[in-house]
């Protein structure tokens, strides 16, 4: 298998993994939202978001650094073994510090009273993330194992959910199912990682060498976690669990689509790092441009579809009791393309070129803007206020990232690809509008619109010879 085929396989496998993350909530959320009350779901999402802060701080900062540096060293097994042990040991120390901070917050912050049990259940995922060592598989571009494991874990979690979650008070049971299904899968990760590297703790962590990039990337993780999760946290503090439950549906749908794009970006970024570190400029630029146009080609019709059928999507996934999520979903959808454009610049340009300070600066500005926006808008608009603050932040950070990246990459303007996206997007809008005038059942309208739009968009790409490749 040549390198291009391997890269394509990685992207496809990671998309399948992301699709499974889509299929899982599509199956579970209609059930969970009908069994749990909005308050119960709000408590669940609030507590999980708190722990996600800690997981993201540990995993994103250290993980980004480990993947970037490991992608350079992976051809030298001895250097890779030494580097991996250093990273694993630093992960362990970060995990201990995280638990100390978490327990301190639970003891001294009154706002967490009533959430202690759920937060402690979810906190098991912190240590589980450390032993998951997914950065090892990313370095060696082995996404197949991660995908197969994710499918098995999600199937088990779905079965347990249907068997054990029966009443409005079972949000604690659901938390245990979510946590244990993830945590038990870690055992398979750690064992399978021995195929590439044998991990163990070392006192010689070479921390002075790793300190600066890890510091900047971890600080960036903290800042990015704040701006990514501030909407739910502040909505919980300022408006209550009911509104968190309503808003969490919009965030879930928005995150589903974003995870698809991020899955492709994550799969390609180790190869881009390898190209850049080995001065393969042509391969780097070609792959970067292919990825950019691939993302744009698929995102445009998806965003149009969500904007046209947001009400139907909410109804299908969560039911009428969450119909107030529609407006916040529309706002979040507007911010989807700038959000993914930022992810593209972050993982394929700024990180590859070791611009940790720049990333931190951009993320800090955005975190401050997002927090201020939530404090100002949420009391006035509740869930819509959180969504508006998030959208403003997504546009802001995308603009900053582009400004700092503009000299590091060059996007090739592909006129035929651009025209095919434009014509295809207008066709999708026309089809959706046409079917909505027929006064069919809303689900029928959406299914017919999606079916005809998919066929039309694909035909346009094919006729203009613009089927995306990577």
């Amino acid at each position: 298998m040549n390198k291009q085929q391997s890269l394509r396989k990685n992207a496809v496998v990671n998309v399948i993994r992301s699709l499974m993350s889509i299929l899982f909530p599509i199956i579970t959320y209609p059930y969970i939202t009908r069994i749990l009350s909005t308050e119960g779901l709000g408590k669940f999402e609030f507590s999980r978001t708190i722990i996600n802060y800690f997981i993201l701080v540990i995993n994103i900062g250290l993980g980004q650094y480990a993947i970037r540096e490991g992608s350079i060293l992976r051809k030298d097994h001895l250097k890779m073994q030494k580097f991996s042990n250093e990273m694993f040991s630093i992960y362990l120390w970060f995990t201990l510090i995280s638990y100390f901070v978490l327990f301190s917050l639970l003891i001294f912050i009154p706002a967490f009273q009533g959430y202690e049990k759920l937060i402690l259940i979810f906190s098991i995922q912190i240590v589980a993330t450390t032993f998951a060592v997914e950065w090892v598989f990313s370095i060696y571009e082995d996404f197949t194992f991660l995908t197969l494991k994710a499918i098995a874990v999600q199937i088990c979690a779905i079965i347990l959910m249907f068997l054990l979650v029966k009443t409005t008070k079972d949000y604690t049971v659901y938390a245990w199912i979510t946590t244990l299904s993830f945590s038990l899968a870690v055992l398979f990760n750690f064992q399978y990682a021995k195929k590439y590297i044998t991990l163990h703790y070392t006192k010689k962590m070479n921390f002075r060498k790793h300190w600066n990039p890890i510091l900047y990337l971890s600080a960036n993780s903290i800042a990015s976690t704040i701006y990514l999760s501030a909407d739910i946290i502040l909505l919980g503090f300022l408006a209550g669990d009911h509104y968190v439950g309503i808003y969490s549906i919009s965030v879930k749908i928005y995150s589903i689509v974003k995870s698809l794009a991020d899955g492709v970006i994550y799969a390609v970024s180790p190869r881009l790092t390898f190209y850049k570190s080995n001065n393969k400029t042509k391969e780097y630029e070609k792959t970067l441009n292919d990825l950019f146009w691939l993302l744009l080609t698929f995102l445009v019709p998806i965003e149009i579809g969500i904007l046209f059928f947001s009400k139907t999507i909410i109804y299908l996934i969560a039911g009428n009791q969450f119909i107030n999520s529609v407006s916040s979903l529309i706002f979040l959808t507007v911010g989807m393309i700038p959000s993914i454009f930022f992810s593209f610049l972050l993982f394929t340009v700024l990180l590859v070129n070791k611009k940790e300070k720049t990333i931190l600066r951009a993320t800090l500005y955005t975190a401050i803007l997002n927090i201020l926006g939530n404090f100002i808008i949420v009391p006035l608009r509740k869930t819509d206020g959180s969504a508006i603050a998030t959208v403003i932040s997504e546009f802001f950070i995308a603009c900053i990232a582009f400004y700092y990246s503009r000299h590091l990459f060059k996007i090739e303007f592909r006129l035929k690809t651009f025209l095919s996206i434009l014509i295809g997007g207008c066709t999708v809008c026309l089809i959706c509008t046409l079917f909505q005038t027929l006064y069919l059942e809303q689900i029928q309208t959406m299914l017919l619109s999606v079916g005809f739009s998919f066929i039309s968009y694909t035909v346009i790409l094919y006729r203009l010879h613009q089927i995306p490749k990577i």
Side-chain angles (χ1 to χ4, degrees), residues 98-211:
S98 295
Y99 275 111
F100 175 78
V101 174
L102 175 63
F103 293 146
S104 299
L105 291 175
L106 291 178
I107 293 170
F108 296 111
I109 303 297
F112 290 134
Q113 290 180 2
Y115 298 94
E116 295 95 338
K117 186 176 180 179
L118 280 174
I119 290 174
L120 288 174
I121 292 170
F122 283 122
S123 72
I124 297 171
Q125 295 184 22
I126 297 175
V127 66
T129 299
T130 296
F131 283 89
V133 294
E134 292 195 357
W135 50 274
V136 173
F137 304 108
S138 295
I139 289 170
Y140 289 98
E141 300 184 35
D142 186 352
F143 299 103
T144 302
F145 168 76
L146 294 178
T147 300
L148 293 174
K149 183 209 70 175
I151 293 172
V153 168
Q154 287 168 350
I155 290 173
C156 291
I158 289 172
I159 294 171
L160 289 172
M161 180 199 71
F162 284 125
L163 289 175
L164 301 177
V165 180
K166 299 292 185 181
T167 70
T168 56
K169 296 181 180 180
D170 285 341
Y171 53 83
T172 302
V173 176
Y174 188 44
W176 273 115
I177 292 171
T178 304
T179 298
L180 292 179
S181 59
F182 170 79
S183 302
L184 292 175
V186 166
L187 299 175
F188 296 101
N189 277 34
F190 199 75
Q191 184 66 27
Y192 189 77
K194 293 179 181 179
K195 173 182 176 181
Y196 302 106
I197 217 82
T198 302
L199 295 169
H200 59 79
Y201 179 79
T202 177
K203 293 181 180 180
K204 298 179 180 180
M205 289 179 284
N206 205 5
F207 199 63
R208 184 173 296 178
K209 175 185 176 182
H210 303 308
W211 170 246

Side-chain angles (χ1 to χ4, degrees), residues 259-314:
S259 69
L260 270 179
D262 286 344
V264 178
I265 295 170
Y266 296 157
V268 176
S269 59
R271 184 65 59 87
L272 289 171
T273 301
F274 178 78
Y275 286 153
K276 191 71 175 179
S277 63
N278 287 277
N279 296 316
K280 296 185 176 183
T281 306
K282 289 184 179 180
E283 290 89 340
Y284 173 78
E285 291 182 351
K286 182 182 183 305
T287 305
L288 193 70
N289 276 277
D290 288 345
L291 176 61
F292 174 81
W293 288 105
L294 172 74
L295 291 171
L296 195 60
T297 299
F298 284 110
L299 283 173
V300 168
I302 291 173
E303 181 151 346
I304 292 171
I306 295 175
L307 289 173
F308 268 94
F309 297 106
S310 54
K311 184 176 181 179
T312 307
I313 294 169
I314 294 290

Side-chain angles (χ1 to χ4, degrees), residues 58-77:
I58 296 173
N59 207 38
I60 292 183
L62 281 173
Q64 287 172 352
Y65 176 72
I67 292 169
R68 187 187 69 190
E69 299 301 316
S71 297
I72 299 170
L73 299 173
R74 66 185 183 186
K75 296 294 184 181
D76 189 324
H77 183 74

